[in-house]
Amino acid sequence: MTAYTAASLKAELNERGWRLTPQREVILHIFQELPQGEHLSAEDLYERLEAEHEGISLSTIYRTLKLMARMGILRELELGEGHKHYELNQPYPHHHHHLICVRCNTTIEFKNDSILKIGAKTAQKEGFHLLDCQLTIHAVCPKCQRALMPL
């Protein structure tokens, strides 16, 4: 997988019978500019777009996020907050996984090539084309463990 550009997104959308709307291009650009380790929910994205005076409705944002996740452009993440977050699906070697504290939602990204290799091998064996392979570990961080311990 290679990093997405507006041109590659346009080509892929056209191939599937869709078009690169200005809204889709703006949303792709926001994710391309996100600092490493930052994840956005649909609501976070909506607030960011409002602040930039981009008139994109929340329903358009939800549809675009779902579409880009299905295409493998974005990774859809369950970070334990009751709603999905998204990030750009980075090509190898930037591929990573998530360790999440179930109490405070602190999220740590980590790399492990073995997980990706197992996912790719399993997909290939079954005749699938791998778009993404992610492991999310739900745990309790050291700070929350200390808070749970009686004195």
Side-chain angles (χ1 to χ4, degrees):
M1 175 191 306
T2 58
Y4 273 94
T5 62
S8 64
L9 175 58
K10 180 178 182 177
E12 193 164 333
L13 285 166
N14 288 342
E15 195 177 290
R16 296 171 186 228
W18 297 314
R19 36 186 218 88
L20 179 61
T21 63
Q23 295 91 340
R24 290 173 179 162
E25 192 166 358
V26 165
I27 289 170
L28 174 65
H29 182 72
I30 295 251
F31 279 99
Q32 288 172 322
E33 298 297 314
L34 270 186
Q36 178 113 15
E38 192 172 334
H39 313 98
L40 295 178
S41 67
E43 292 77 12
D44 296 334
L45 180 58
Y46 179 75
E47 288 173 15
R48 194 172 282 216
L49 290 166
E50 283 284 299
E52 294 179 12
H53 306 292
E54 293 286 346
I56 301 176
S57 71
L58 193 54
S59 61
T60 297
I61 290 169
Y62 273 109
R63 282 193 308 274
T64 302
L65 292 174
K66 283 284 183 206
L67 171 67
M68 289 182 168
R70 273 198 321 267
M71 292 174 69
I73 297 165
L74 297 179
R75 295 177 93 191
E76 191 174 72
L77 309 167
E78 293 282 351
L79 298 180
E81 295 178 14
H83 54 268
K84 293 177 180 2
H85 284 77
Y86 298 86
E87 67 182 357
L88 208 56
N89 194 6
Q90 295 288 345
Y92 181 84
H94 305 290
H95 201 274
H96 61 271
H97 308 282
H98 299 90
L99 174 63
I100 303 163
C101 177
V102 296
R103 290 197 74 224
C104 68
N105 294 319
T106 295
T107 302
I108 295 174
E109 295 182 348
F110 67 96
K111 295 178 188 250
N112 186 312
D113 290 343
S114 299
I115 295 166
L116 184 58
K117 287 176 187 170
I118 290 167
K121 187 176 181 180
T122 303
Q124 182 181 23
K125 178 181 162 198
E126 299 296 331
F128 283 66
H129 174 75
L130 181 70
L131 292 176
D132 185 21
C133 177
Q134 58 180 295
L135 175 66
T136 303
I137 300 171
H138 299 272
V140 179
C141 74
K143 180 180 167 193
C144 289
Q145 288 174 48
R146 286 190 298 276
L148 289 171
M149 286 184 199
L151 295 175

